[in-house]
């Protein structure tokens, strides 16, 4: 994975980590309101989606667009579709 | 778009259409239960996701894996990421 | 299901049906571009999500908020969570 | 938020944190493969979805099913729909 892709992804995961830790602290409070936690969980998911977008873009650029020339297009497409379909 | 991709996608959209029409008929009944409709909507979304998966796989195979050799890799990746990110 | 909920949901499903039919026509054209189809599929999914939102809101309003008074809160929550979790 | 809901949610967030930290370490390796990272991101998202499901269930049970008797059903439904719709 290219260096700038790793850096961008790592930065978004650091943001996600920060949100995650603040939610874990909030859950120690019996009076925490459910919807506040749900909203913060969405913020973590947003940061994770941001990281996934960066990594996917890098993968398409570096590995998928060059697959036909390399001769492994079918494998590359299969493994990418498997990951995209995974829940 | 390759013929078999179009055929597979069209077949799934025909399934989605059938679900959609049955939901529209169900909505004419005042006694229809909300969760039955929500469940059927999920079935339509499942069929649409199936069609989207077929089309995405075909696009990767035919257009994206050959992009570097063709010289338009950056454009191909940009337009694909835009569509994947769209809501 | 309340009349206005059914009407709103039916209207969005009519929009979804229109998009769906235009995609099915587009798939008859060998030169149709994959990403145009993916984008239109997103429009159908958007209309379906709109219908699902209307139905869910109606369900919460009419059935879920009254569940404790009726005495079937646990069942209502279980069945709703099952539908929300379904793929 | 009920104690057991907080405990269940916190446990899933601890799992998410563990996945997140291992991805951040993996991103320090120039040879990390994009799809491995994407797959691990899905695992984090799965754990977060698990936590969100637990919190949503608790919210429905404790706050939403009792709303009509309390007289704030419209507000409860509005705020829940806003959070569910948020990206």
């Amino acid at each position: 994975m290219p260096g700038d892709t790793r850096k961008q992804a790592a930065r978004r995961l650091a943001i996600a980590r920060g949100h995650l830790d603040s939610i874990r602290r909030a859950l120690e409070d019996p009076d925490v309101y459910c919807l506040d936690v749900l909203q913060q969980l969405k913020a973590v998911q947003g940061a994770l989606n941001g990281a996934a977008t960066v990594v996917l873009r890098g993968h398409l650029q570096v590995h998928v667009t060059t697959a036909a020339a390399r001769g492994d297009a079918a494998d590359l497409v299969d493994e990418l579709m498997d990951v995209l379909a995974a829940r």
Side-chain angles (χ1 to χ4, degrees), chain A:
Chain A
M1 192 185 297
D4 64 335
T5 300
R6 286 187 292 122
K7 217 176 289 170
Q8 287 180 51
R11 202 165 46 231
R12 286 173 173 75
L13 295 189
I15 293 167
R17 172 80 127 57
H19 284 310
L20 201 53
D21 287 347
S22 74
I23 298 172
R24 294 180 73 203
R25 284 190 300 274
L27 284 171
E28 288 159 17
D29 173 6
D31 296 329
V32 68
Y33 188 47
C34 314
L35 291 193
D36 294 339
V37 172
L38 278 184
Q39 211 136 17
Q40 290 182 5
L41 283 171
K42 293 247 177 179
V44 184
Q45 286 165 326
L48 290 178
N49 288 339
T53 296
V54 164
V55 172
L56 177 58
R57 177 183 287 273
H59 181 65
L60 289 170
Q61 199 88 38
V62 173
H63 296 118
V64 182
T65 59
T66 54
R70 223 179 22 247
D72 57 2
D75 293 343
L76 259 285
V77 170
D78 283 346
E79 68 171 5
L80 176 55
M81 293 304 291
D82 288 346
V83 169
L84 292 179
R87 283 236 15 189

